[in-house]
Amino acid sequence: MDNQYNYYDPEQNTDSYNYQNTGDNQFHSGGPEQAPHQRPRKKTPAWVKAVCCGLAFGLVAGASFQAVNVVGNKLFGTEEKTQGSVKQTSTSSDTKLTTSSGSTVSANIAEISENAMPSIVSITNMSVEEVQSFFGGIQERQSESAGSGIIIGQNDSELLIATNNHVVEGNDTLTVTFIDEESVEANVKGTNAAQDLAVVAVNLDDIKESTMDQIAVATMGDSDKLKVGEPAIAIGNALGYGQSVTTGIISAKERTMEGHEGNLLQTDAAINPGNSGGALLNANGEVIGINTAKVAADTVEGMGYAIPISDASETITNLMNQETRTKVPADEQGYIGILSEADVSADLAEMYNMPTGVYVSEVVKGGGADKAGIEEGSIITAINGTSVDGMQTLQEQLQYYRVGETVTLTVAAPGDGGKYKTTDVEVTLGESAE
């Protein structure tokens, strides 16, 4: 029997997802089958039966207990370990990730999850999107989407949380909810669209003392040392219903996915919409990956993906040390002074040996880009160290900068032999040409 259910919740507005329930449930009634006739045996004295049963039970129980211990030790280890305190962090000028000491924890999944939960948060993204009305016009409506995040440290004034770029992109407001159900507004600290990574910040002054006592900084593991078949535990805000736990194994390493830069871990631990940005843990309770995507198809079972933490750590460290900015009013927003008719997607970049980013079709005369010497045919790949994979991403970043501010654009220009040369260019933002 193959039953399929499609589900969409407009209030959550998470990614589209399908539930597939494939099973064959059978129920049997009646007693055991009649045993065939057997020749009568010689009667054994009762005291002999009792002694034999006692010996057999002792041998079987002892062997079973020893086998369980051996399997448990091999899979998970036996020593216990607790999460680090959120208050043991470095300063804002050199914030670093908390890494593992190499010790192991109990094999109890419940205990591992309990220790990790204080370092996992839910993230709500409120945005405004344009939709076509019933009469054919365009109208704006408020949209809400759910995701997850991992507490990775704090500086002098902020609590820092790692998540996916697609969890926070296009936001008007971001809200972080902690383990005690307390919610606080957050700001984007930095994003990397190509790797689908982001860091958001919450002001420490906005967090209650009681909440600070309950939350913790996650401990990072080493995803480079993972082996296929190792246990994996996924924690996140699945479907926006709150934190939940799923388990599985590391199914494969070094997987690739269209539109994502770098390799991914594959796991059969259930990764559902809302899990994005949450933690994939090893048997020591250490973060080995940031959950990012799943394959949603009727013919696919148990194929979820996570960004390996060892690959992401350098990018996350750079993002968590960037300056936190807040959006400026639309009439005060600065403009670069370019026109772009096309983005260089990952597919085009591979096909034509070009970097991904914003293709400059035209430079507005007298604008910031023109004065900085940016030419047509160039490709903008980053702004102030934050990568951009298209015009939408660049425009989202420009919402944080006013007219007259200076930004550093990373620009790739075509050179000899068709090769692109990358340079950093300072551009003073001007007013819109419209």
Side-chain angles (χ1 to χ4, degrees):
M1 182 172 64
D2 189 352
N3 300 324
Q4 178 164 337
Y5 306 89
N6 292 323
Y7 174 84
Y8 173 68
D9 186 350
E11 293 184 359
Q12 295 296 334
N13 193 33
T14 52
D15 305 328
S16 60
Y17 34 88
N18 298 324
Y19 291 95
Q20 184 177 28
N21 178 18
T22 303
D24 186 8
N25 299 323
Q26 298 179 355
F27 300 89
H28 302 282
S29 61
E33 296 181 0
Q34 181 67 34
H37 177 73
Q38 296 181 352
R39 181 179 299 177
R41 298 179 179 178
K42 185 182 291 186
K43 187 175 181 180
T44 305
W47 68 271
V48 174
K49 290 182 178 180
V51 171
C52 290
C53 288
L55 289 172
F57 177 81
L59 290 172
V60 172
S64 300
F65 182 78
Q66 184 64 23
V68 170
N69 281 340
V70 170
V71 172
N73 290 340
K74 285 189 175 183
L75 283 176
F76 298 103
T78 56
E79 297 177 6
E80 295 186 355
K81 174 179 156 185
T82 59
Q83 294 285 329
S85 170
V86 73
K87 298 178 181 178
Q88 297 176 353
T89 54
S90 56
T91 63
S92 58
S93 61
D94 189 25
T95 310
K96 298 180 180 179
L97 297 175
T98 302
T99 55
S100 167
S101 61
S103 58
T104 57
V105 297
S106 166
N108 191 330
I109 299 295
E111 184 177 358
I112 295 173
S113 303
E114 184 179 9
N115 288 337
M117 281 290 190
S119 64
I120 310 299
V121 303
S122 300
I123 298 177
T124 302
N125 180 338
M126 299 295 295
S127 60
V128 175
E129 62 180 1
E130 293 184 345
V131 296
Q132 188 171 5
S133 69
F134 179 79
F135 299 101
I138 300 297
Q139 63 183 25
E140 292 184 344
R141 73 175 183 186
Q142 194 172 53
S143 175
E144 177 180 335
S145 59
S148 307
I150 308 167
I151 300 174
I152 54 174
Q154 74 178 66
N155 55 35
D156 292 339
S157 60
E158 301 168 320
L159 186 72
L160 306 174
I161 298 164
T163 185
N164 290 141
N165 175 67
H166 76 261
V167 170
V168 302
E169 67 181 348
N171 77 87
D172 283 330
T173 59
L174 287 177
T175 303
V176 167
T177 304
F178 299 104
I179 187 173
D180 62 351
E181 301 300 327
E182 287 291 331
S183 298
V184 182
E185 189 169 327
N187 292 305
V188 175
K189 198 165 183 69
T191 62
N192 185 305
Q195 291 182 268
D196 196 21
L197 292 170
V199 172
V200 300
V202 176
N203 290 329
L204 293 177
D205 291 341
D206 295 337
I207 306 175
K208 293 181 178 179
E209 186 175 345
S210 58
T211 301
M212 291 294 292
D213 290 338
Q214 295 189 52
I215 61 180
V217 172
T219 298
M220 304 296 136
D222 187 348
S223 57
D224 289 339
K225 295 181 179 179
L226 287 174
K227 295 182 179 179
V228 173
E230 285 190 34
I233 304 167
I235 302 181
N237 181 25
L239 306 187
Y241 294 157
Q243 305 301 345
S244 62
V245 178
T246 56
T247 62
I249 61 169
I250 300 297
S251 304
K253 299 172 62 177
E254 299 183 356
R255 294 299 200 204
T256 58
M257 185 172 63
E258 183 178 350
H260 179 86
E261 181 180 287
N263 294 322
L264 297 168
L265 298 173
Q266 181 186 328
T267 180
D268 66 345
I271 306 294
N272 292 299
N275 274 114
S276 293
L280 187 68
L281 308 174
N282 62 13
N284 297 331
E286 301 158 355
V287 178
I288 52 172
I290 299 177
N291 300 322
T292 188
K294 67 173 292 184
V295 176
D298 293 342
T299 56
V300 177
E301 286 279 347
M303 292 185 69
Y305 297 93
I307 304 167
I309 198 63
S310 297
D311 295 350
S313 59
E314 182 178 354
T315 299
I316 292 174
T317 301
N318 290 335
L319 296 177
M320 64 197 291
N321 285 291
Q322 289 187 14
E323 178 187 357
T324 304
R325 306 187 65 92
T326 56
K327 291 183 178 180
V328 301
D331 58 349
E332 298 178 18
Q333 180 182 319
Y335 291 83
I336 295 174
I338 64 165
L339 297 178
S340 176
E341 298 177 356
D343 297 331
V344 183
S345 65
D347 290 341
L348 289 175
E350 184 177 358
M351 187 180 301
Y352 297 106
N353 196 25
M354 303 165 67
T356 59
V358 177
Y359 183 82
V360 179
S361 304
E362 182 180 343
V363 178
V364 177
K365 187 176 181 180
D370 183 34
K371 293 177 181 178
I374 296 176
E375 299 178 348
E376 295 179 5
S378 299
I379 301 171
I380 299 173
T381 62
I383 175 171
N384 282 354
T386 296
S387 68
V388 294
D389 58 356
M391 194 62 181
Q392 180 180 348
T393 307
L394 180 60
Q395 289 175 335
E396 286 181 2
Q397 289 299 314
L398 287 172
Q399 296 178 90
Y400 298 94
Y401 300 94
R402 285 181 165 83
V403 173
E405 286 193 74
T406 299
V407 297
T408 300
L409 298 180
T410 303
V411 180
D416 297 337
K419 294 183 178 180
Y420 281 80
K421 182 180 179 181
T422 300
T423 57
D424 287 337
V425 180
E426 290 190 352
V427 177
T428 301
L429 301 178
E431 296 182 355
S432 172
E434 298 179 354

